[in-house]
Amino acid sequence: DREAVEKCKSLGYRFPEITSWMRPVSEDLKIVRDFGIKESGILMSCSDYHIFGKLNRTRSQVLKMYINAIEKALEYGIKPRCHLEDITRADLFGFVIPLINNINQLGLKAGVNIKFRLCDTLGVAKPFNGQELPRSVPALVYYIKNYCDLKPEQLEWHGHNDYYYAVANSTTAWLHGAAAVNTTLLGIGERTGNCPLEAMLIEYCQIKEV
């Protein structure tokens, strides 16, 4: 709550920081602006299953919709965090990378390091180097980071645990160039859950040899 945020600020901490989540539509953008929120996640469905089946649009139509949402967010002074939904079933080179490059260029012009959340929405990703795209976490992070010239702090991994790889995939994303991973306490989340916070604390300590 607001009191907790102010208490943290008085102690010199940057966090917790309240952000929001919205659809890439004008009415949601106006709500976020009116609340005075400085950073917001914006849902961007990436797979053809979502583009054609859920949104009933073409790739070019949703690309334009996402770009327009980023332009409006920057105009409103909102720092975007792009939630690339269902990226592990999407066309990486045909849709995802062009989308990220377009958005990142808008951010650079505005002096903003836009963040990109790589969402394994159905938990089908694998942490193995030999796995084919788009399900290989090492390949996804590598190609997106290098083909889009992104900084590690612009990349975060959002994994689900449907096939019990949430911790392994999150750790792999860290090791291959994503600066952040999304977690929940005890892994609580839809279906079989998300990545557990406590597990990633242990992984972090092992990686850093704390």
Side-chain angles (χ1 to χ4, degrees):
D1 59 17
R2 188 178 298 275
E3 183 179 349
V5 172
E6 292 303 320
K7 179 65 174 177
C8 287
K9 287 182 178 178
S10 70
L11 294 172
Y13 295 117
R14 290 177 55 208
F15 302 102
E17 180 180 342
I18 297 173
T19 63
S20 65
W21 179 95
M22 62 179 165
R23 300 167 298 173
V25 294
S26 58
E27 52 264 39
D28 286 16
L29 283 156
K30 290 176 182 176
I31 292 172
V32 172
R33 178 199 60 186
D34 293 344
F35 269 98
I37 295 173
K38 296 179 180 179
E39 182 174 352
S40 180
I42 301 177
L43 179 65
M44 296 184 175
S45 302
C46 289
S47 70
D48 285 344
Y49 299 98
H50 285 240
I51 292 171
F52 293 99
K54 182 177 73 173
L55 300 176
N56 294 314
R57 303 192 184 195
T58 65
R59 287 185 179 185
S60 59
Q61 286 174 329
V62 297
L63 181 65
K64 183 178 180 180
M65 179 174 65
Y66 299 157
I67 295 297
N68 289 342
I70 295 297
E71 290 175 335
K72 186 59 69 173
L74 293 171
E75 179 186 324
Y76 288 161
I78 302 167
K79 183 177 181 180
R81 176 187 264 116
C82 303
H83 294 188
L84 305 179
E85 185 184 26
D86 207 24
I87 195 174
T88 48
R89 298 196 301 164
D91 184 345
L92 181 65
F93 294 103
F95 182 79
V96 176
I97 285 179
L99 172 65
I100 294 174
N101 274 325
N102 274 281
I103 292 174
N104 194 46
Q105 288 303 312
L106 291 174
L108 291 173
K109 289 179 182 178
V112 176
N113 284 326
I114 294 176
K115 296 178 182 179
F116 298 90
R117 175 178 291 180
L118 313 183
C119 302
D120 182 24
T121 303
L122 294 184
V124 296
K126 295 293 183 286
F128 313 121
N129 282 308
Q131 182 74 32
E132 293 289 334
L133 284 170
R135 298 190 178 184
S136 168
V137 179
L140 273 175
V141 176
Y142 172 83
Y143 284 119
I144 289 173
K145 181 175 178 290
N146 291 283
Y147 276 51
C148 302
D149 195 25
L150 301 180
K151 301 174 183 177
E153 55 266 30
Q154 289 181 265
L155 283 175
E156 60 183 68
W157 180 261
H158 178 89
H160 287 256
N161 203 35
D162 295 71
Y163 296 95
Y164 301 98
Y165 279 100
V167 173
N169 287 334
S170 296
T171 305
T172 301
W174 260 348
L175 294 174
H176 285 81
V181 297
N182 299 157
T183 63
T184 64
L185 186 62
L186 301 177
I188 295 171
E190 61 181 344
R191 301 188 307 276
T192 57
N194 292 88
C195 185
L197 170 62
E198 59 278 8
M200 293 314 295
L201 287 173
I202 294 172
E203 289 292 305
Y204 183 82
C205 289
Q206 291 184 99
I207 292 170
K208 293 294 186 179
E209 298 182 354
V210 175

